[in-house]
Amino acid sequence: MDSVLKTGTAEAPKENRIGLKSSDYQGGKSTLCAGCGHDAISNQIVRAFYEMSIKPESVAKFSGIGCSSKTPAYFMQRSHGFNTVHGRMPAVATGAMLANHRLMGIGVSGDGDTASIGLGQFMHMVRRNIPMIYIIENNGVYGLTKGQFSATADEGSKLKTGVVNDLHPMDLCALAVQLGCGFVARGFAGDPKQMINILKASIAHDGMAVIDVISPCVTFNNHEGSTKGYQYSKDHQELLHQIGFVQSYEQIEVDYEPGTVKEVEMHDGSKILLKKLEEDYDASSPIEALKRLHRAEEEGQMLTGLVHLNPQKKSFISLLNVTDDVLATLPLERTRPPKEALAKIMKDLM
Amino acid sequence: MAVSSLVTRYASLVTGHIRYNFPPLRSIKESYVSDLSSVTAVLEEPARGGRAPVVNDLTIHVATVNGSGSQSSNSVLMRSIFQMGVPVSGKNMFPSNIAGLPTWFTIRANKDGWTARKREVDVMVCMNAQTAKEDVEALDPGALCIYDAPLNCKAIRNDIVFFEVPFAKLAGELTPDSRLRKLLTNMIYVGIIAELIGIDREEINGALNKQFKGKTKAIEPNVQAIDKGMEFARSSLPSQNRWRIERMNKTAGKIIIDGNAAAAIGAMFGGVTVVTWYPITPSSSLCESLIDYLKQHRIEKDGKATFAVVQAEDELAAVGMVLGAGWAGARSMTSTAGPGISLMAEFIGLGYFAEIPGVIWDIQRVGPSTGLPTRTAQGDVNQVALLSHGDTQHIVLIPSSVSECFDFASEALDLAEQFQTPIFVLSDLDLGMNNWMSDPFVYPEKPITRGKVLTKEKLTELNGKWGRYADVDGDGIPWRTLPGTDHPFASYFTRGSGHDTQARYSEKPEDYKALVDRLKKKYETAKQYVPKPAVDIRDGAKIGFIAYGTTDFALEEARHQLLSERSIETSYFRLRALPFTEELRDFVATHDRVYVVEQNRDGQMGDLIRLELGEDQRKIRKVLHYIGLPCDARFITNEVLRMEA
Ligand SMILES: Cc1ncc(C[n+]2csc(CCOP(=O)(O)OP(=O)(O)O)c2C)c(N)n1
Ligand code: SF4
Ligand SMILES: [Mg+2]
């Protein structure tokens, strides 16, 4: 059990199951500040996709605008990427996923990009349950425009300039739960062990997976008085449970004491294991999730883990009942009705 | 009167009536007639004939209350005339309201096929107490007015022929059901008019059958209502012999359709796969009909759809989805009106700069801001031509008829993929929502264009060496790959920030300049592929017209008026797309004066044309119609005569 919870797989091989090396998942060189939380997340994304043996060519990366939104250029070079406009990644990603529902979509956004300018699109995307991963690299500030507060900044949090935020923070996890999202998690860039398993679980999820990751901005929000820096986050992180992930092909017998671990089977046959810590948290209940998030806020905890999980929720693609083939490349015979069809339409108009 | 003061007076009159929610016809008419007739005596419509009836040339104007269900009666009336073989058009002038406010429907039947809006009303049907007075006051002397008895229209003036009808009583004889009675009331006036102007009973039945899709239960009461009206006209109204509809054969094999439905059909046969929209008048019916047609014709045997339609949360999202889908290789489109276009500005710049296909229909309405949401204009020309910040230029297709709506719908999807850029199609409320007669649409035989896409096989041939933004063919159009292409070198990174030919981030001066210069070159290339103008050059014509979109209907009629009434021969250049093609300069060069006629205040297209022309721009004169109603021929004729004087 412990090894499962640590890495999610047994010893990672040099080549994954589709014969690719970890280097096949690398991206371009990052231009972010040294130590930026966003880079730590990119590293875990590379590792998760590599270890899950996802073909990079089948992945499409999306982002908005911000330091965080630059990162798709820094991981998985062999995947198509699209750095869209500020706050509008959800629409672009939605269109692309409709055009080709076989793509595995991963979106990276920032707290500014998602919680302010892009809040409307984010909410509608969650509501539609577009089957892709949506990561918010949450640092409580606008990094790229030099450190103004974002809408996720905690009350009382202080900028380097001494300005104090006295507005209530927006909790994107709570919002996602409220909008019916089937996979909601919060991670911390400084906790790669947890992050990797959250990411793997999100890859296995068929539906929208919202992952809010506290990702310190070392340049503008990592000082005394900031509430999203490394030290503050470490001090206040509260784990809901320990997360493990077992791929479908792994015949790992995990033994654990009865009642201590919850197993959730995903569509692809993989399993998410949630090991109980102090509290007995039920990730399947949205109400419990909202209550717990609320309490965390009141008590100043940085709550991390799989906040809510419901693998059964139908995705937008299946609701639209589109053909199993890719819309983008359907041949003309299938997209242009026959001559008789036009003749009939014309006749009805005569 | 000096021209400038005339123009100001005209403008002030127009703004004057815009203060009313719904301009009574009269004030609009007066603004033309009283102001312009003082300039030249020929402005009057040729006097109506003496005894001999006017055959197959009449305008019927029906005033009702929005939400009273008059739509189907008006359609039946229009269709019966159509089935008599007489060219006809139907225009709905409606408020931005669901029920209660005034609405008008105008049917123009004309044996010569002139179906643009005409100002003079021959037969008025007054059913609305709110507007009856103004409606009657706006009529020309000698017009026929059929009115609902309680309105007592005859008291308003005495130079009109009045036919009073006790609609409530007649409807009461048909049914005790008060809701149905309201609907049938409208059908009664159809029967009365049919009887008075000589529409065959059998054609009305045909039209009813069409309107109610053969549903006997719905047809039955309506037949009775029409009988009731006809019977009443025969027994209780004097006969009239001034306007007659007689059978002719100019509509056989033709269809009646609105431009939005035509565009929807065109897009479906053009192979559209992803459609997004956000409701807005006058564009909603485009995507709504498209959804209906797609459901009928694009669901496969296994019950699965070969399309995806999303009602987006706003136009920003709608166009974002279109670009996302276009990026991933789908033929994608959305449809909106001016306010939506304004919201799309940032995304359109991304589409232009990152080179992503997508089609945006703009069914223009009157702006700025919310403007007159249910009235027509051509005021979005500048906006779509140059939308977004930085140096941007867009390809714009401008249909003038329902059949061009059909053709351009797939043409736009082709051009979007060929040029990897957002394509606008500029229609308007008049074309999009009103009923037009047309030849049936021709099935597109040519295969669709999917543009320069490198497949897995091509990439293997190239040893994976390619550059997303490299101009390898010298036409400014680069090659692209689609996400999901199974080749290790297929991917590239798309961004709206500066990039080099390999799609790498770049802020280098030379990379930026090369990129925007290539985009310019691409736009130049487009000149060879956009629809050519329709040019009609007449021997010896000194005057040329340039117009586009729905102005065409009035313009052709105005040319006819100028020729038949004043022996003035004119040439005509009907613009069908931006960028301008080489034909534009030639046309202007071969004429002394060129009137650009359009439906906006500033002469937006006229300005773009001037910019294009250089020296010859001094030849350009503007004729501008911007009152929210479709342009009419007499207006153009009068304006040209005024400026020629
Ligand atoms: C329409 C628009 N407005 C403003 C900006 C400027 N801008 C760029 S990034 C950004 C905020 C980014 O913050 P966040 O999403 O939190 O990303 P971070 O840099 O913190 O990772 C803003 C306001 C923009 N690019 N576009
Ligand atoms: S400014 Fe902040 S968010 Fe941006 S790269 Fe630097 S550390 Fe990261
Ligand atoms: Mg941020």
Side-chain angles (χ1 to χ4, degrees), chain A residues 233-284:
Chain A
S233 301
K234 269 186 198 133
D235 296 347
H236 293 78
Q237 185 178 14
E238 182 79 25
L239 300 180
L240 277 172
H241 35 227
Q242 251 186 302
I243 307 172
F245 183 81
V246 184
Q247 303 210 32
S248 56
Y249 59 85
E250 291 175 309
Q251 295 296 319
I252 296 173
E253 285 297 321
V254 263
D255 40 46
Y256 39 76
E257 289 200 14
T260 59
V261 169
K262 286 201 184 100
E263 266 190 32
V264 185
E265 177 142 357
M266 304 302 280
H267 284 275
D268 62 356
S270 59
K271 277 182 200 138
I272 296 173
L273 309 178
L274 300 173
K275 187 177 179 199
K276 190 169 125 181
L277 295 173
E278 285 99 86
E279 55 189 310
D280 194 6
Y281 183 70
D282 177 10
S284 71

Side-chain angles (χ1 to χ4, degrees), chain B residues 1 62 113-114 141 147 214 233 333 347 368 414 447 469 486:
Chain B
M1 199 189 288
V62 181
W114 306 125
Y147 67 91
M333 64 174 272
F347 256 134
D414 277 358
Y469 296 112
D486 191 9

Side-chain angles (χ1 to χ4, degrees), chain A residues 219-237:
Chain A
T219 306
F220 297 110
N221 205 12
N222 194 34
H223 49 271
E224 190 66 37
S226 104
T227 58
K228 291 215 169 14
Y230 279 111
Q231 196 53 52
Y232 186 94
S233 301
K234 269 186 198 133
D235 296 347
H236 293 78
Q237 185 178 14

Side-chain angles (χ1 to χ4, degrees), chain A residues 55 57 77 80-83 88 92 128 321-324 328 334-337 339 346 348-350, chain B residues 79 210 254 256 268-269 298 300 303-305 307 313 316 329 347 443-446 481 486 491 494:
Chain A
K55 198 168 196 177
E57 287 77 21
Q77 202 149 241
H80 274 73
F82 196 156
N83 184 192
R88 317 296 177 200
V92 174
R128 289 194 186 98
N321 199 28
V322 290
T323 174
D324 299 335
R334 292 177 65 188
T335 60
R336 173 175 286 168
K339 221 169 178 164
M346 290 299 108
D348 288 347
L349 294 164
M350 277 175 192
Chain B
R79 191 163 263 290
K210 198 98 192 169
K254 306 245 184 213
I256 292 185
M268 178 172 72
F269 284 90
R298 292 271 298 273
E300 300 193 315
K304 300 228 169 168
F307 61 87
E313 56 271 33
L316 253 109
F347 256 134
Y443 188 75
E445 297 290 356
K446 78 169 180 149
T481 55
D486 191 9
S491 74
T494 307

Side-chain angles (χ1 to χ4, degrees), chain B residues 223-495:
Chain B
V223 169
Q224 283 163 17
I226 284 172
D227 282 341
K228 193 65 147 182
M230 293 183 104
E231 208 176 280
F232 178 80
R234 271 195 300 272
S235 63
S236 313
L237 293 177
S239 65
Q240 73 82 32
N241 199 30
R242 198 149 170 180
W243 293 281
R244 304 292 304 165
I245 290 295
E246 287 175 10
R247 210 172 263 289
M248 60 189 294
N249 61 356
K250 282 210 178 161
T251 66
K254 306 245 184 213
I255 57 166
I256 292 185
I257 190 171
D258 61 70
N260 283 350
I265 299 170
M268 178 172 72
F269 284 90
V272 74
T273 47
V274 175
V275 180
T276 67
W277 66 299
Y278 186 76
I280 184 169
T281 305
S283 93
S284 302
S285 64
L286 199 164
C287 286
E288 283 168 333
S289 354
L290 184 49
I291 292 168
D292 289 346
Y293 282 122
L294 287 169
K295 279 187 182 158
Q296 282 172 44
H297 300 282
R298 292 271 298 273
I299 303 271
E300 300 193 315
K301 286 201 186 74
D302 59 0
K304 300 228 169 168
T306 61
F307 61 87
V309 183
V310 189
Q311 185 184 321
E313 56 271 33
D314 55 31
E315 291 87 346
L316 253 109
V319 77
M321 291 175 198
V322 162
L323 293 180
W327 176 77
R331 282 163 86 82
S332 59
M333 64 174 272
T334 182
S335 160
T336 186
I341 298 286
S342 295
L343 285 183
M344 292 176 182
E346 189 189 17
F347 256 134
I348 294 301
L350 173 71
Y352 173 79
F353 198 48
E355 301 181 64
I356 304 162
V359 171
I360 303 102
W361 280 78
D362 177 5
I363 316 301
Q364 297 167 97
R365 62 189 218 182
V366 177
S369 190
T370 304
L372 312 185
T374 59
R375 298 296 147 89
T376 196
Q378 297 180 314
D380 295 350
V381 175
N382 277 341
Q383 152 130 320
V384 299
L386 304 169
L387 193 66
S388 206
H389 54 279
D391 290 316
T392 48
Q393 291 171 308
H394 306 296
I395 298 173
V396 184
L397 307 188
I398 315 174
S400 263
S401 62
V402 289
S403 71
E404 282 186 347
C405 285
F406 173 81
D407 292 340
F408 288 2
S410 57
E411 184 80 40
L413 291 164
D414 277 358
L415 286 168
E417 292 199 297
Q418 184 181 355
F419 286 92
Q420 300 172 28
T421 196
I423 306 284
F424 288 99
V425 190
L426 206 51
S427 172
D428 65 24
L429 180 143
D430 187 24
L431 182 57
M433 290 189 73
N434 284 325
N435 292 300
W436 300 95
M437 206 178 82
S438 169
D439 284 327
F441 305 149
V442 182
Y443 188 75
E445 297 290 356
K446 78 169 180 149
I448 54 179
T449 307
R450 310 273 354 223
K452 298 184 186 178
V453 176
L454 293 173
T455 55
K456 175 184 177 179
E457 295 70 29
K458 276 255 181 68
L459 287 167
T460 309
E461 262 171 53
L462 293 169
N463 276 326
K465 288 201 178 64
W466 73 290
R468 167 66 181 103
Y469 296 112
D471 184 11
V472 286
D473 304 317
D475 55 3
I477 309 170
W479 287 79
R480 63 175 180 145
T481 55
L482 304 183
T485 304
D486 191 9
H487 188 285
F489 295 112
S491 74
Y492 68 94
F493 200 80
T494 307
R495 45 164 68 85

Side-chain angles (χ1 to χ4, degrees), chain A residues 269-343:
Chain A
S270 59
K271 277 182 200 138
I272 296 173
L273 309 178
L274 300 173
K275 187 177 179 199
K276 190 169 125 181
L277 295 173
E278 285 99 86
E279 55 189 310
D280 194 6
Y281 183 70
D282 177 10
S284 71
S285 156
I287 294 172
E288 181 131 338
L290 290 172
K291 273 197 204 153
R292 186 63 189 85
L293 287 167
H294 192 74
R295 181 154 68 83
E297 193 199 302
E298 278 179 350
E299 295 177 6
Q301 299 170 333
M302 191 185 90
L303 193 68
T304 62
L306 238 173
V307 174
H308 179 57
L309 184 61
N310 170 11
Q312 305 311 327
K313 208 180 141 82
K314 275 203 167 180
S315 86
F316 193 56
I317 311 280
S318 58
L319 289 173
L320 283 181
N321 199 28
V322 290
T323 174
D324 299 335
D325 299 310
V326 170
L327 285 182
T329 48
L330 285 180
L332 184 57
E333 312 86 83
R334 292 177 65 188
T335 60
R336 173 175 286 168
K339 221 169 178 164
E340 305 78 68
L342 184 62

